[in-house]
Structure formats: structure tokens, C-alpha cells
């Protein structure tokens, strides 16, 4: 059984027991979080929501928070001597999917 959820402007395909990194949720470690924006559920047959599946919910346990690898942003304009280097590390929350309910 798997589900497709939407959180933080992104979509994730998850199954029970999966560990994924989602955009920072601001929830403490060890707490439970529910994702109720379930776009599709497959348990033998695919049920697609319009836009979400009614009554479907994905429960997950928060394992911790962290920062992703640094992404370098480099701006450059030729012949003018302009260049600017900047870095960014996106914050994330690591969650483990516990249960998918319909």
C-alpha cells in the first residue's frame, strides 16, 4: 500500500515504514504529525482524489531536523567585473511514515 501526499509545495510517494525528508514542519522530535493532503492511495486499486482523497490520512513520527547540503548561487555579468557568490542550506524535517488510513 502506498500514498501520494503533498506537503511544503512538493509531492511524495510514501509507504508504511518509509523515512523521508520534508520541508521544515516546526514539530518537536518524537511527536506525531498527520498529513491530510493525500492526493492518491493505492491498496490494490488506485483511488485518486479530486484534489484530495476524502477521509484519507497519513500519520508519521518526527525523527529530527537538519539542514541539506549547501547549494552555491553564483551571479556573474561579463565585462563589468560584477560577481556575487552566495550559499544556501535548506532546512528539513526527517519523518518516518507510521500508518496510512483511508
Amino acid at each position: 500500500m502506498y500514498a501520494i501526499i503533498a506537503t511544503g509545495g512538493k509531492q511524495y510517494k510514501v509507504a508504511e515504514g518509509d523515512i523521508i525528508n520534508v520541508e521544515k514542519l516546526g514539530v518537536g522530535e518524537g511527536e506525531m504529525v498527520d498529513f491530510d493532503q493525500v492526493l492518491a492511495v493505492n491498496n490494490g486499486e488506485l483511488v485518486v482524489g479530486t484534489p484530495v482523497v476524502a477521509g484519507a490520512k497519513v500519520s508519521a513520527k518526527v525523527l529530527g531536523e537538519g539542514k541539506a547540503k549547501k547549494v552555491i548561487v553564483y551571479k556573474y555579468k561579463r565585462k563589468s567585473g560584477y560577481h556575487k557568490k552566495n550559499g544556501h542550506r535548506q532546512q528539513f524535517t526527517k519523518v518516518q511514515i507510521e500508518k496510512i488510513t483511508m
Side-chain angles (χ1 to χ4, degrees):
M1 173 183 234
Y2 70 86
I4 299 175
I5 61 171
T7 179
K10 298 177 180 66
Q11 297 176 2
Y12 302 92
K13 178 183 174 185
V14 297
E16 292 181 3
D18 285 355
I19 297 174
I20 59 171
N21 294 335
V22 298
E23 295 291 319
K24 186 175 178 182
L25 298 174
V27 180
E29 187 174 339
E31 293 185 33
M32 296 296 289
V33 63
D34 291 331
F35 299 107
D36 49 358
Q37 278 196 328
V38 180
L39 305 176
V41 177
N42 187 348
N43 57 352
E45 67 176 72
L46 183 64
V47 178
V48 179
T50 56
V52 295
V53 178
K57 182 171 71 167
V58 175
S59 299
K61 180 180 177 184
V62 176
L63 300 178
E65 293 183 343
K67 285 186 175 182
K69 291 184 67 124
K70 183 177 277 193
V71 176
I72 303 298
V73 179
Y74 193 77
K75 297 180 180 181
Y76 174 78
K77 294 195 187 293
R78 66 191 186 117
K79 298 182 182 176
S80 65
Y82 172 80
H83 61 91
K84 182 179 265 187
K85 183 178 180 182
N86 200 352
H88 175 73
R89 292 184 68 188
Q90 186 66 37
Q91 296 182 344
F92 66 85
T93 301
K94 181 178 277 195
V95 296
Q96 181 174 14
I97 305 301
E98 298 286 325
K99 187 170 56 172
I100 300 171
T101 57
M102 273 189 59

